[in-house]
Amino acid sequence: MTTLSPAPTLSKAADPLQLIDVDHVRFHVGNAKQAAFFYAHCFGFQIEQVSDLTTGCRDAASYLLTQGNIRFLLTSGLTAEHPASMEVAMYGDGVKDVAFTVFDAEKAFDRAIKNGATATPGGEPHTMRDAAGTVTTATIRTYGRCQHTFVSRTGGYDLTRVKQGGIFAPRFKRIDGKPGDSCGTSMAVGDGGVASGAGCAPQLGVGSSILSINDHNRKNPCGLKYVDHLVGNVELGKMNHWVRFYEDVLEFTMFKHFDDKDISTEYSALMSKVMASGNNLIKMPINEPAAGKKKSQVQEYLDWHCNTPGVQHLALRTDDELHSIAALRSRGVDFLTLPDAYYDQVWDRVNKMLTSHGHAAVKEDHQRVRDLGILVDADDEGYLLQLFTKPLQDRPTLFFEIICRRGSQSFGKGNFKALFEALELEQERRGNL
Ligand code: FE2
């Protein structure tokens, strides 16, 4: 059966920091309209909703892109002073906010603050309300330029409604001009009182090209379902600090850890600890560079990210790796290339591990896996297929991983060496090794 996300334990009696879902991942980008086309064209996202001047938003434009249970918000500042404009100047395009849906954003925020979190400027609980319902947000800082927003929703803005095409929040409108569940009287509370009734206007001002690409993507799905994990790069010596932050503030636990003996080549190394939310809904590995003969890939990221921690990659889950990778390759996505010799040993390694733990061998066609350049790894619980894109922007910072799990809950440790050698080749090409 196809799943849209891991099933969380839904109990309102539980801790306020219980995460219901990844509400959305917000990117700060230089030109949200153009970035929306990139992610739609290359990765098959629907450009579903927009918030901009035409909906009463005077300082930023945001596009809601969706696929399966993945929601990206691409935001660009419309003024030089908007935080997105300033951040893009410093860091280039990248992830700003990993937002979590919770039962009560204010209670989650209070608990996080009590646990030692710091609010972002203006991040205190804030409710947007209209006839359709409410969206309450509250935001805390995490590593570097990143933040976590707690989001709770009622009425037409409930996440279940949003997943069915309902309006994401006040001051958003659907690109296709359909009303959505909650369109009609949107007005943000405490936000200058600019009515956003234009949210229902059939005249979109976005042209028919978005509708065409949405139509194409509906007919040619890439099969991405939800965010499997989300990796942060922090500075040398700071990994344990941020591990404690996720333990203390968000009450995550450590799921796995890898040291520089696991993740190193002759030249470069890194260390990683995987933090997981209470219900394992979201996993957030944290990387720090480790000393090697040459520059760690984490240090390269930091060098091109204003020496500031940030999100290194988002792993997007698919139920069919071969289909997704073939679709993305045909759309022009650039993936890391591994030496062909990788496939001389991988089947022996992986299938030995699987049979020794009583699991069936890898069912995907081996030749197609090789032709598509997909990586395979196994552990005592099963296997996984994964592949990594090259950086999604000119700076060697954010990239995506496309991952399919067949029982394995790990991260592809058996591929680290081959993968890092491929990454070093790329670093060398960029003059950054
Ligand atoms: Fe990953």
Side-chain angles (χ1 to χ4, degrees):
M1 193 181 99
T2 297
T3 50
L4 280 184
S5 69
T9 313
L10 296 179
S11 162
K12 286 204 179 196
D15 184 322
L17 286 174
Q18 181 179 297
L19 309 181
I20 299 171
D21 214 330
V22 178
D23 196 89
H24 61 272
V25 179
R26 186 190 291 271
F27 297 62
H28 277 174
V29 298
N31 186 326
K33 180 182 270 191
Q34 291 185 6
F37 272 94
F38 171 79
Y39 288 106
H41 175 79
C42 290
F43 291 92
F45 282 86
Q46 292 289 309
I47 307 175
E48 195 179 299
Q49 299 183 31
V50 63
S51 168
D52 62 5
L53 290 172
T54 67
T55 68
C57 189
R58 305 297 300 171
D59 62 349
S62 293
Y63 287 74
L64 174 70
L65 272 63
T66 64
Q67 183 169 181
N69 192 30
I70 306 166
R71 285 165 295 282
F72 289 164
L73 266 190
L74 307 179
T75 297
S76 285
L78 298 179
T79 62
E81 301 75 32
H82 190 276
S85 307
M86 294 196 276
E87 289 213 343
V88 166
M90 288 174 75
Y91 310 118
D93 290 6
V95 171
K96 174 63 185 173
D97 196 332
V98 182
F100 301 125
T101 319
V102 293
F103 290 111
D104 183 328
E106 192 168 350
K107 278 190 186 160
F109 175 84
D110 289 345
R111 172 78 157 257
I113 295 291
K114 215 166 119 193
N115 287 345
T118 309
T120 59
E124 288 75 20
H126 170 79
T127 297
M128 294 172 284
R129 184 187 312 275
D130 64 17
T134 65
V135 179
T136 300
T137 58
T139 307
I140 61 167
R141 295 182 56 132
T142 178
Y143 45 71
R145 52 87 61 106
C146 295
Q147 61 190 35
H148 291 305
T149 294
F150 301 112
V151 186
S152 53
R153 300 165 167 281
T154 66
Y157 298 120
D158 187 87
L159 194 61
T160 313
R161 304 282 284 274
V162 173
K163 288 178 187 179
Q164 293 163 353
I167 297 295
F168 181 73
R171 289 199 176 151
F172 275 79
K173 69 181 181 187
R174 289 187 58 86
I175 293 282
D176 59 13
K178 291 180 185 165
D181 278 0
S182 52
C183 187
T185 56
S186 301
M187 181 175 286
V189 168
D191 207 10
V194 181
S196 61
C200 292
Q203 180 55 50
L204 300 169
V206 292
S208 61
S209 46
I210 291 182
L211 300 180
S212 310
I213 199 164
N214 283 348
D215 188 49
H216 175 80
N217 288 344
R218 259 191 299 276
K219 291 172 182 158
N220 301 277
C222 292
L224 306 180
K225 303 288 184 192
Y226 57 89
V227 178
D228 182 275
H229 61 274
L230 198 143
V231 180
N233 281 343
V234 303
E235 310 99 315
L236 183 63
K238 287 292 177 66
M239 179 174 65
N240 287 331
H241 168 83
W242 289 107
V243 164
R244 279 194 298 278
F245 172 89
Y246 279 93
E247 285 173 341
D248 294 346
V249 170
L250 288 175
E251 303 176 17
F252 281 27
T253 52
M254 199 192 306
F255 184 74
K256 282 185 193 303
H257 66 93
F258 307 97
D259 62 22
D260 51 353
K261 288 179 209 66
D262 295 316
I263 317 181
S264 67
T265 66
E266 186 186 348
Y267 293 118
S268 65
L270 64 78
M271 294 186 284
S272 185
K273 289 186 176 174
V274 181
M275 305 308 294
S277 62
N279 50 15
N280 278 344
L281 178 77
I282 186 73
K283 299 193 182 74
M284 299 195 61
I286 298 168
N287 292 340
E288 74 168 38
K293 283 189 197 167
K294 295 197 178 178
K295 186 177 285 184
S296 165
Q297 56 171 283
V298 179
Q299 191 57 50
E300 185 200 30
Y301 174 100
L302 294 168
D303 288 351
W304 291 92
H305 199 252
C306 236
N307 282 314
T308 305
V311 172
Q312 177 211 44
H313 76 266
L314 288 180
L316 306 177
R317 183 87 159 257
T318 171
D319 292 334
D320 185 345
E321 185 82 3
L322 275 63
H323 167 77
S324 292
I325 297 300
L328 300 181
R329 282 195 182 281
S330 76
R331 288 161 174 265
V333 174
D334 279 332
F335 289 100
L336 277 184
T337 305
L338 268 80
D340 210 41
Y342 170 84
Y343 295 96
D344 295 344
Q345 292 147 13
V346 72
W347 302 117
D348 258 10
R349 169 169 67 81
V350 166
N351 285 329
K352 253 184 212 160
M353 171 68 83
L354 290 171
T355 48
S356 72
H357 288 92
H359 301 297
V362 174
K363 69 177 183 182
E364 282 78 4
D365 182 88
H366 291 191
Q367 190 56 49
R368 278 206 76 214
V369 168
R370 185 178 189 147
D371 291 346
L372 289 165
I374 292 166
L375 314 183
V376 192
D377 195 31
D379 57 27
D380 54 347
E381 296 178 292
Y383 68 96
L384 61 80
L385 303 119
Q386 62 185 170
L387 191 55
F388 299 85
T389 72
K390 291 185 181 177
L392 299 164
Q393 55 293 304
D394 293 305
R395 296 193 197 202
T397 50
L398 178 71
F399 60 89
F400 286 168
E401 172 183 357
I402 310 299
I403 186 167
C404 175
R405 297 186 181 279
R406 304 269 188 240
S408 169
Q409 294 305 312
S410 192
F411 296 86
K413 180 176 160 183
N415 291 324
F416 287 169
K417 192 168 164 49
L419 194 59
F420 285 32
E421 283 168 356
L423 274 166
E424 282 167 12
L425 270 180
E426 295 293 319
Q427 277 180 254
E428 196 161 30
R429 276 192 201 123
R430 295 191 284 257
N432 290 339
L433 188 60

